[in-house]
Amino acid sequence: MRIDIVVHVDVLCPWCFLEKRSLETAIYRYKARHPDVEFEVLWKPFLLYPTLRKGNKRDLYTTIMSPEKLRTFTQGVQTAGSRHGITFAVYGTTGPSQGCHRLMALALRTLGPDAQAAVVESLFRGHFEHGKDVTDQAWLVAVGRGVGLAEDDVLRVLRCEATGLFLEDEVRAAMASGVIAVPSVMVGGRFRVGGYQETELFEGVFDRLVRETEEERRPAD
C-alpha cells in the first residue's frame, strides 16, 4: 500500500518547517512497524505574504504580532524546535517567497519527490537557521545545484512570467479546496491535518487510513 501525502507550506512559516520534521519522523516510525506501507510526499505552495517588501526578518514578526503574542510565538517555536533538532536563529533579510516555490516545483518536475524534499529542507534551514534571504537568486541557484538542477534551468524558472502565473493559479486552487492556512497536510486524499501537529497524530491518521482502505478492499460476504 502507498500513502500519498500533499503538504501545503510557505518557507516563511516556522511551523511549516516544524511540520516537515514531525511528518518525516512519523513516516520513519510508521514504516519501521509497517514495512509494506510506502509513502510519497509532495510539497505544494501557499503564499502567506505575496506582496511582502524586502526587509529585516525580525521586523516581519514585530509588524504582525503584539509584543506579548511575539513572546508566546517565539517560545512555542523554540520549544517545538528543540524536539526536532531545529535551532531557530532568525536574522538577516527576507522578502516574498515566490522564488522558493518556483524552485520546489522545478525540483519535483525535473528530479522527483526526493529531490523536492531536499530542496524544501535546504530552504527552511537556510531561512530559519542560517540567515539566508529567500529572494536571493544566487542562494536559490546554489540550493538547486545541490540536488542536481542545472543553473540555467533554475534561473529560467525564477525569471519566467508564465511560471509565476502558474504558481498563483496553484495557490488559488489550494484555497478553493479548503487550504486557508499553513501547514496543511492532506493524507491519502481523505484526511486534512491543519496546523502544526506532533508525530503521534500523524501515526494515528496513517493507521486509520490503512484500516479503512483494508476494509474497503475486503470482499463482501
Side-chain angles (χ1 to χ4, degrees):
M1 178 177 175
R2 190 181 80 177
I3 297 177
D4 293 321
I5 299 175
V6 176
V7 191
H8 282 88
V9 297
D10 194 342
V11 176
L12 298 178
C13 170
W15 294 111
C16 291
F17 187 12
L18 290 163
E19 189 87 308
K20 181 176 185 293
R21 292 291 178 82
S22 179
L23 177 62
E24 288 174 340
T25 301
I27 290 172
Y28 177 82
R29 285 169 28 172
Y30 200 81
K31 288 178 68 174
R33 296 196 307 273
H34 306 278
D36 55 325
V37 178
E38 296 294 329
F39 291 84
E40 181 172 274
V41 182
L42 304 182
W43 301 88
K44 295 294 184 178
F46 193 87
L47 298 172
L48 288 172
Y49 312 106
T51 60
L52 179 68
R53 293 185 178 181
K54 187 169 181 175
N56 185 278
K57 290 180 184 178
R58 292 186 180 275
D59 290 344
L60 168 63
Y61 297 105
T62 58
T63 56
I64 62 177
M65 298 182 195
S66 67
E68 182 179 351
K69 286 186 177 180
L70 181 58
R71 283 193 296 272
T72 301
F73 169 82
T74 301
Q75 183 179 10
V77 295
Q78 289 178 341
T79 299
S82 66
R83 293 196 295 270
H84 295 290
I86 299 171
T87 303
F88 286 97
V90 182
Y91 62 94
T93 58
T94 192
S97 58
Q98 283 91 334
C100 295
H101 292 297
R102 293 179 182 215
L103 179 59
M104 289 158 55
L106 176 64
L108 176 62
R109 184 172 68 250
T110 306
L111 301 174
D114 289 344
Q116 186 192 42
V119 165
V120 174
E121 179 72 16
S122 293
L123 293 173
F124 276 134
R125 291 191 64 191
H127 178 68
F128 286 112
E129 295 187 307
H130 304 301
K132 298 297 186 180
D133 180 353
V134 299
T135 67
D136 182 353
Q137 287 196 357
W139 176 55
L140 295 178
V141 167
V143 171
R145 291 181 63 183
V147 299
L149 292 171
E151 179 175 344
D152 288 346
D153 290 340
V154 175
L155 289 173
R156 188 178 303 111
V157 80
L158 291 178
R159 298 167 180 172
C160 177
E161 182 177 353
T163 301
L165 295 174
F166 179 76
L167 170 61
E168 293 174 3
D169 287 342
E170 274 206 298
V171 173
R172 280 193 290 268
M175 296 176 70
S177 71
V179 179
I180 58 174
V182 288
S184 178
V185 183
M186 178 63 78
V187 181
R190 296 190 186 187
F191 304 115
R192 189 185 302 282
V193 179
Y196 168 73
Q197 302 295 339
E198 297 288 353
T199 295
E200 292 77 12
L201 184 139
F202 287 112
E203 291 177 290
V205 173
F206 300 158
D207 272 332
R208 181 178 175 185
L209 178 63
V210 170
R211 183 174 63 252
E212 291 186 0
T213 302
E214 289 176 345
E215 289 174 353
E216 291 169 359
R217 292 175 177 175
R218 190 175 299 132
D221 293 334

